[in-house]
Amino acid sequence: MSKPEDNARGRPVPSGRLSRLGQFGRLAGGLAGGMLAEGARRLAEGERPAMRDMLLTPGNLLRLADRLSHLRGAAMKLGQMISMDAGDALPTELSQLMARLRAEADPMPPVQLQRVLAAEWGREWRIRFQRFDDRPIAAASIGQVHRAVALDGRELAIKVQYPGVRGSIDADVENVATLLRVSGFLPAGLDIVPLLAEAKAQLHEETDYRREGLQLEAYGRLLAGSEAFVVPSPAPDFTTDNVLAMSFIEGVPIESMAGASQPERDRIAARLMGLVLDELFRFGMMQTDPNFANFRYQPATGAIILLDFGATRTVSAATAQAYRGLLAAGLSGDGEAVKQAALDAGFLGEAAVRRHGDLIDRMIGLIVSEAARLGPVDFADRRILEAIRDQATIVAGDREAWHVPPTDTLFVQRKIGGIALLAARLKARVDVRSMVEARLGMDTV
């Protein structure tokens, strides 16, 4: 979530089915116009433009980010997922444009906010507070957050869901999928129906604020007494289906610690990576949204504040075991074992191995050689990642080799990849090998 100072008045959230469909129609029209203009420009210069090149222009990315930021809800959430998962795969300038989806949404205007809260708490809701700040301190895809002080003196963070978000999830997911298909991003034969169904189910869970309150409470119990992490306490007396109230905890954006000392940056990244390993192998549950805004930091205490538990999922024993096998194979230095473990876990598809075996072997070789190194991994050094990315791009360009991993694996991998991106942002150095060995109970490998 981000601070929306630049748009204090906000834009109303399109809550009706027809109004949201109209927004998608305008988006599709704008993208088509941008593609035609780019195609004409490239043809005039003697090029034969590919569909992807015509679509991924700065102008179209701005159109996409602006329209999804206006829609909020599932449409923006899916855009966030795509931009986060793309990571370094997009060119720098396009990655920066798409990062807007991870950084900000348009807040509701005050009139719409008042209408939502009156429906949840009654018309005289303000008498329950000493202070309620109308301007949100953060605005994201599903809701915006306000700071308040209850009559009994509790400092609260109040998350208010945008109207119409829950009812528009299924249609938004289908509309985004249609845009991806029409744009040529997805091959016609790729079956993404199970993935779409899972995305809808996940988003419905994220809009269930009572469920999120229970997850917040459960996570607080798991980390009770921790010096490394702080979890807000739920405030059930202010929580409804569309409002989630919790204790307000002061902190700074975690990415702002990029200017801290090397030891502090290393400690932050190591704690987050350790948390992911604990989620996977100890807790059996994981908060799967690695958006940087879901982590804040207390410089005075060194504690990391954990926020937003709507995307919390159970980690099945089978998924944990698949990662255990994959990590153990990687630490063993056996490339063939890594490939087989990746196939067994569903990370790799048979078609990709059959069609691009040599490339995949080279990628695995790079990963295994990196895993064999003792001491800290320097996440600021992107050379290995860039080499793997260049080879993976070739495989990804072959649509006959496309493969959709199991949905549980996708959500876990999204969290792992997001934390790695944050470690890179912090230019952290972390002894990942020792951490994994400790979690797997392997003294030496």
Side-chain angles (χ1 to χ4, degrees):
M1 293 189 181
S2 69
K3 294 182 179 180
E5 292 99 337
D6 296 335
N7 198 359
R9 290 183 300 172
R11 285 198 287 182
V13 181
S15 56
R17 190 172 181 178
L18 288 177
S19 63
R20 293 185 73 81
L21 183 60
Q23 293 289 332
F24 273 104
R26 282 191 284 278
L27 172 58
L31 292 177
M35 288 173 66
L36 287 173
E38 180 66 11
R41 184 187 71 78
R42 290 179 178 245
L43 286 170
E45 293 177 357
E47 298 181 33
R48 295 184 63 186
M51 177 74 76
R52 182 183 179 88
D53 295 334
M54 290 190 294
L55 182 66
L56 286 179
T57 64
N60 269 353
L61 267 293
L62 279 173
R63 289 183 187 93
L64 182 64
D66 180 71
R67 191 61 60 184
L68 296 186
S69 294
H70 182 201
L71 280 162
R72 282 83 113 193
M76 182 176 176
K77 191 76 174 182
L78 287 169
Q80 287 177 340
M81 289 180 179
I82 292 167
S83 65
M84 175 67 78
D85 293 346
D88 292 331
L90 292 175
T92 302
E93 65 276 9
L94 300 186
S95 181
Q96 290 171 349
L97 290 173
M98 287 301 284
R100 178 185 167 189
L101 288 174
R102 301 197 300 271
E104 64 185 67
D106 300 321
M108 286 183 280
V111 171
Q112 192 173 37
L113 173 67
Q114 169 63 31
R115 192 159 56 241
V116 170
L117 290 179
E120 298 301 315
W121 290 337
R123 294 179 60 186
E124 304 300 322
W125 62 267
R126 288 187 184 272
I127 64 174
R128 302 177 65 186
F129 297 95
Q130 293 182 30
R131 191 186 83 239
F132 186 99
D133 296 342
D134 284 343
R135 178 177 291 188
I137 58 174
S141 55
I142 290 174
Q144 61 189 46
V145 180
H146 296 260
R147 192 170 179 178
V149 179
L151 283 181
D152 59 10
R154 284 175 295 165
E155 288 195 67
L156 299 174
I158 308 287
K159 184 158 70 168
V160 184
Q161 189 168 133
Y162 299 129
V165 162
R166 187 178 295 114
S168 64
I169 287 171
D170 292 358
D172 277 5
V173 170
E174 291 294 342
N175 284 331
V176 170
T178 298
L179 278 176
L180 290 173
R181 289 192 185 99
V182 170
S183 69
F185 269 114
L186 299 178
L190 188 68
D191 181 17
I192 61 169
V193 171
L195 189 58
L196 292 179
E198 190 65 31
K200 291 173 185 176
Q202 175 72 59
L203 289 163
H204 276 292
E205 288 185 347
E206 289 195 45
T207 59
D208 184 346
Y209 278 2
R210 292 190 189 277
R211 175 188 177 276
E212 183 176 348
L214 294 174
Q215 299 288 357
L216 177 67
E217 195 172 15
Y219 222 98
R221 288 194 298 269
L222 286 171
L223 293 172
S226 170
E227 295 181 356
F229 299 102
V230 180
V231 179
S233 302
D237 50 330
F238 286 99
T239 296
T240 70
D241 289 345
N242 299 303
V243 175
L244 175 61
M246 69 197 82
S247 58
F248 176 83
I249 303 174
E250 196 75 59
V252 300
I254 200 160
E255 63 267 35
S256 71
M257 298 308 294
S261 68
Q262 187 71 52
E264 188 165 20
R265 286 181 278 130
D266 295 347
R267 184 172 61 251
I268 292 169
R271 284 179 166 177
L272 286 170
M273 290 180 186
L275 178 63
V276 173
L277 290 170
D278 285 341
E279 289 177 317
L280 192 52
F281 298 127
R282 287 183 53 215
F283 298 166
M285 63 185 291
M286 177 177 285
Q287 194 280 68
T288 61
D289 185 353
N291 194 322
F292 296 170
N294 292 337
F295 310 99
R296 294 179 73 82
Y297 187 68
Q298 294 181 323
T301 66
I304 298 168
I305 304 165
L306 304 178
L307 302 172
D308 198 341
F309 292 87
T312 303
R313 296 171 60 90
T314 298
V315 178
S316 71
T319 299
Q321 186 57 39
Y323 273 93
R324 189 178 295 275
L326 187 64
L327 291 171
L331 293 179
S332 74
D334 185 342
E336 282 300 315
V338 171
K339 182 163 62 178
Q340 189 57 54
L343 283 165
D344 293 343
F347 286 106
L348 273 178
E350 293 282 357
V353 174
R354 186 174 61 253
R355 295 170 64 87
H356 303 281
D358 290 343
L359 268 178
I360 287 171
D361 286 344
R362 286 202 291 273
M363 284 189 285
I364 290 174
L366 287 170
I367 294 168
V368 167
S369 65
E370 186 69 13
R373 290 173 52 189
L374 299 177
V377 174
D378 185 355
F379 282 88
D381 184 354
R382 313 297 280 169
R383 287 174 297 178
I384 295 294
L385 177 64
E386 288 170 2
I388 293 171
R389 181 188 63 191
D390 291 343
Q391 294 170 4
T393 300
I394 297 172
V395 179
D398 178 5
R399 299 192 170 206
E400 295 299 317
W402 277 28
H403 164 72
V404 179
T407 51
D408 281 352
T409 300
L410 284 174
F411 281 103
V412 172
Q413 196 57 34
R414 181 170 180 253
K415 177 67 174 285
I416 293 171
I419 297 302
L421 281 174
L422 180 53
R425 176 75 65 87
L426 295 175
K427 296 182 171 61
R429 300 169 186 162
V430 181
D431 189 349
V432 179
R433 181 185 177 92
S434 293
M435 295 174 68
V436 172
E437 285 177 349
R439 296 315 195 280
L440 297 184
M442 305 165 74
D443 294 329
T444 57
V445 179

